[in-house]
Amino acid sequence: MEYIKKHAVLLVTAILLFHFVLSLVVSSQESMTFDEKAHIPASYSYVRYGDMRLNPEHPPLLKDLAGLFLLPLGLQFPLASPEWQTGINEQWLVGDMFVNCTRPDIACNDADTILFFSRIPITLIAVLLGAFIFIWTRELGGTLAGVFATVLYAFDPNIIAHNHYVTTDIGSAAFIFFAFFYFVRFLKNPSCKAILWSGLFLGLAELAKFSAVLLFPIFGLFTALYALSLQKDPADTTSTWHFKFTTLFWYLLKYSGSVIICFSLIWIVYGLNTYAMPGEKLVALADHTLAQKNAFAQLAHTTVVTLSGNAFFKPMAEYFLGVFMVFSRVAGGNTHYFLGTVTNAASPWYFPVVFVLKETLPFLLLLLLTTGYGLLRITRAYLAEKSQGTLRFLARSFQNRITQYLAVFFILFYSYISITGNLNIGFRHLFPILPFLYMLVGKSLADIYKRHEHEPVTHKLLALFIGLALFSVMAIPILSYPSYLSYFNATVGGHKNGYLYVTDSNYDWGQDLKHLKKWVDEHNTCVTGLDIISCTGENKLLSYPAIDKIRVDYFGGSTPQYYLGDKYISWWASRAPEAGWYAVSSFFYQESLYKPLAPGEQNYAWLKDKVPLARAGDSFFIYYITSEDLPAAKEE
């Protein structure tokens, strides 16, 4: 442990460098995920054309960063297409044209180049988040705590899975964490500099994802509580209540200053992204997306239309349009597969179950142990000081442990909002709480270790336990490479079986299309005898014919034809089965089996008893169906 403390900065640098390189490698192997097809064309159009008509339901910051990395590539954008000119938020069709070359009349870009470069800034943000986790945890609990927290973060397969996608998930977790970091500094010393930094990073969090609106009430509440918990200077002759009221007033006034800075930054960034966007396009977006007849939708529509008519207020019109669209989306829910059901109704068990199944077992064990340790320490401290009064104890504890109080409150509050909300869309929506969990677990581990440093035997046993636990954490992404998006822990059989419990961005988001192309190419090379020496292993099925055509049912952002060419046949569950090769997405496979069927509708039940010959990545099930395998033949 002394070696770790002595070389902590070097170790953390090496860990984050490994994290960065591994992310680039995985990124180069994966095809475009479902949401990226909307985010990537929006990214380029924002920075290239100053127009936010695509994907307005997400703030522009992360897309701007992705778009900046695309600018030097000299890409062709479908400006003349009807989808851009007159379409209303045609993000998916524009994405197909921009990335997937689906229109022969429009100049084609290289999909892999676009994917790789647009993803780099997201990975850089992930590395920056790792550095912040180390710095803040080191301040909180010492060098060992910082290293422990960084290891937990950098080797979490769920983080590695998403740290290169052009989506809001990693970015929102990062900027929310940064905002908390500077907010704590503001509380401890509400100087002009602290107000400025707190306001700027609050604004950046709001520009990363609209769920960051939760920070306004949280920061406001903790500003008030922190001010009220401050102890009066014994030399101050004013009354205690006068002191508290004055302190509260000035703290809230200064917090208001950071909120003003926050919205100023929002206005500036939205202004840069909408300067060339016609106001009537905003009105058309509002007419299309806020067409509900309820009072909230009507108020939202009126607000956006009114603000869009003024050049000064147009950036805020775009901002409020996005906020209102998110509220509308949350209210509508989403169709998802979960534990043998396909439904649009949210389950309060969704996020707890997904968290337990997708987090690594060593981390879950450490989380359980350190939570118990923390509760024990709080109980002992309270019992030792309760004679001085509960309020005095809470006030002093709040002042001394403001970071822990904030972190725990945010974890519980955000988890409650997620569990009781109407969107069961993926573990990734819990990402904002993960950096705080890594920080608290890392600090508690270091505290436990330091508290027993004068007990040689216990100290050595603790060092051995912590070392083994962290070694296990580091080994998991190495052993599970490259199955990161589809990662599930051993309680359900790992990444091969995760789709049985939950799909979508938890398992199958469209990332494996390149793996399918590779599998098809390798199979054809083997069966045609071009490379018979290396044709061994589970994906080399020499007794099966070459793949001239393959029926692909794909859930994701890429286009199978881009990678498979004329071998690709578009397929879906309700089509009548026929003989030949199939590659079926686990997302569509599970959805077809468990969703209610219309009378006479076909699903994949006829494949249920047939074991896939192979898998491409984890998410594609590959079958070869003979005429005898068809349902009609079996009935005969």
Side-chain angles (χ1 to χ4, degrees), residues 43-118:
S43 299
Y44 188 77
S45 64
Y46 291 6
V47 298
R48 178 68 178 84
Y49 303 111
D51 194 311
M52 278 190 69
R53 69 184 66 187
L54 300 180
N55 198 237
E57 62 267 33
H58 298 288
L61 176 62
L62 300 170
K63 288 177 284 187
D64 286 344
L65 295 174
L68 287 172
F69 275 67
L70 295 178
L71 278 183
L73 301 181
L75 302 173
Q76 300 294 320
F77 193 82
L79 281 179
S81 68
E83 289 81 2
W84 172 266
Q85 290 289 330
T86 58
I88 305 298
N89 194 22
E90 295 285 8
Q91 51 193 6
W92 309 107
L93 293 175
V94 173
D96 270 331
M97 289 184 281
F98 181 58
V99 185
N100 291 326
C101 300
T102 56
R103 287 274 293 273
D105 57 321
I106 295 176
C108 205
N109 298 304
D110 183 75
D112 292 339
T113 300
I114 290 176
L115 276 178
F116 185 78
F117 281 96
S118 63

Side-chain angles (χ1 to χ4, degrees), residues 77-263:
F77 193 82
L79 281 179
S81 68
E83 289 81 2
W84 172 266
Q85 290 289 330
T86 58
I88 305 298
N89 194 22
E90 295 285 8
Q91 51 193 6
W92 309 107
L93 293 175
V94 173
D96 270 331
M97 289 184 281
F98 181 58
V99 185
N100 291 326
C101 300
T102 56
R103 287 274 293 273
D105 57 321
I106 295 176
C108 205
N109 298 304
D110 183 75
D112 292 339
T113 300
I114 290 176
L115 276 178
F116 185 78
F117 281 96
S118 63
R119 288 170 168 178
I120 289 175
I122 308 302
T123 304
L124 291 174
I125 290 171
V127 172
L128 184 61
L129 175 56
F132 262 77
I133 289 173
F134 171 71
I135 292 168
W136 199 2
T137 311
R138 181 178 61 178
E139 289 182 3
L140 194 63
T143 301
L144 279 179
V147 174
F148 294 164
T150 307
V151 169
L152 294 175
Y153 165 76
F155 291 92
D156 188 327
N158 299 288
I159 297 297
I160 299 170
H162 288 268
N163 68 3
H164 51 278
Y165 295 146
V166 186
T167 58
T168 59
D169 304 304
I170 284 291
S172 65
F175 283 103
I176 285 174
F177 192 74
F178 302 160
F180 271 90
F181 179 82
Y182 284 100
F183 176 66
V184 170
R185 276 163 162 66
F186 158 77
L187 290 180
K188 292 181 176 180
N189 178 24
S191 63
C192 292
K193 181 180 178 181
I195 294 170
L196 174 63
W197 283 108
S198 178
L200 287 175
F201 276 90
L202 178 59
L204 291 173
E206 302 302 325
L207 287 164
K209 194 165 187 174
F210 286 123
S211 58
V213 297
L214 295 174
L215 299 189
F216 291 123
I218 293 173
F219 286 5
L221 172 64
F222 272 79
T223 298
L225 292 176
Y226 192 85
L228 292 173
S229 68
L230 287 169
Q231 301 297 309
K232 181 182 176 183
D233 186 339
D236 189 349
T237 58
T238 60
S239 70
T240 300
W241 284 108
H242 179 270
F243 167 79
K244 289 187 178 296
F245 177 79
T246 304
T247 305
L248 176 63
F249 172 79
W250 284 110
Y251 258 91
L252 290 177
L253 184 64
K254 291 175 180 179
Y255 172 63
S256 300
S258 69
V259 172
I260 291 172
I261 292 170
C262 162
F263 276 99

Side-chain angles (χ1 to χ4, degrees), residues 28 66 126 255 361 414 532 556 597:
S28 69
Y255 172 63
L361 292 179
Y414 191 90
I532 198 69
L597 293 178

Side-chain angles (χ1 to χ4, degrees), residues 428-498:
R428 60 194 175 96
H429 278 209
L430 291 182
F431 278 11
I433 70 173
L434 294 185
F436 297 96
L437 290 176
Y438 304 135
M439 181 171 68
L440 293 176
V441 171
K443 180 189 183 305
S444 294
L445 282 177
D447 285 349
I448 294 170
Y449 180 75
K450 285 185 287 186
R451 286 184 182 279
H452 295 277
E453 60 186 354
H454 300 300
E455 305 169 30
V457 175
T458 304
H459 204 232
K460 288 181 180 179
L461 289 175
L462 282 172
L464 179 62
F465 170 76
I466 294 172
L468 287 174
L470 294 180
F471 177 80
S472 300
V473 168
M474 297 172 70
I476 284 173
I478 296 172
L479 295 175
S480 60
Y481 171 87
S483 300
Y484 298 130
L485 186 70
S486 55
Y487 175 82
F488 277 72
N489 61 46
T491 59
V492 292
H495 59 91
K496 291 295 183 183
N497 294 332

